[in-house]
């Protein structure tokens, strides 16, 4: 299983970035995909998730992301995206993608390697 995140970089406050995470080795369409972030000295936190499977496409956002970030997925490309607008310095973090699926009583989870987003003021 491989989750390859990309799209991070340096951007000025108020700018935008689109992160991508390409998955391989899993039946992507049935997995819930998520973006998480970890700022220096802080715990990793949820940014957004999007479900897969029959109810695919339902989204959930952290309060800090609502109205500014949009998560989406392209099952044909096995890729999940995070469009980030109106970026602020407090959005600076390493962003990780995660694939999740519950199978009976087991929870399958896979993490990508992370991509650094730096927002300058």
């Amino acid at each position: 299983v491989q989750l390859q995140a990309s799209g991070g970089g340096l951007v000025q406050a108020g700018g935008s970035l689109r992160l991508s995470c390409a998955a391989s080795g899993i039946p992507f369409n049935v997995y819930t995909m998520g973006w998480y972030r970890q700022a220096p000295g802080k715990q990793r936190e949820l940014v957004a998730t999007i479900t897969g499977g029959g109810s695919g496409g339902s989204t959930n956002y952290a309060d800090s992301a609502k109205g500014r970030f949009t998560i989406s997925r392209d099952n044909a490309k096995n890729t999940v995206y995070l469009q980030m607008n109106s970026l602020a310095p407090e959005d600076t973090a390493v962003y990780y993608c995660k694939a999740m699926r519950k199978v009976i009583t087991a929870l399958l989870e896979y993490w990508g390697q992370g991509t650094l987003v730096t927002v300058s003021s």
Side-chain angles (χ1 to χ4, degrees):
V1 178
Q2 188 171 14
L3 300 177
Q4 185 69 43
S6 61
L10 175 63
V11 63
Q12 288 188 331
S16 299
L17 280 175
R18 189 176 83 151
L19 306 183
S20 300
C21 176
S24 60
I26 57 172
F28 178 81
N29 61 305
V30 301
Y31 273 74
T32 290
M33 300 299 297
W35 286 99
Y36 294 71
R37 68 186 184 186
Q38 187 166 17
K42 295 187 177 181
Q43 289 188 331
R44 192 172 298 188
E45 62 179 9
L46 169 73
V47 176
T49 61
I50 184 167
T51 59
S55 62
S58 296
T59 58
N60 178 59
Y61 295 92
D63 288 343
S64 59
K66 288 178 181 176
R68 299 189 301 131
F69 295 1
T70 302
I71 189 171
S72 61
R73 65 190 298 159
D74 185 338
N75 288 336
K77 296 182 178 180
N78 287 359
T79 301
V80 61
Y81 304 97
L82 185 68
Q83 177 68 45
M84 304 187 294
N85 299 328
S86 301
L87 283 162
E90 51 266 35
D91 295 316
T92 294
V94 178
Y95 284 71
Y96 298 89
C97 61
K98 181 181 179 181
M100 301 162 279
R101 182 186 181 193
K102 189 173 183 180
V103 179
I104 308 178
T105 59
L107 181 62
L108 303 178
E109 298 181 317
Y110 304 100
W111 289 93
Q113 87 288 0
T115 185
L116 177 62
V117 172
T118 304
V119 184
S120 63
S121 57

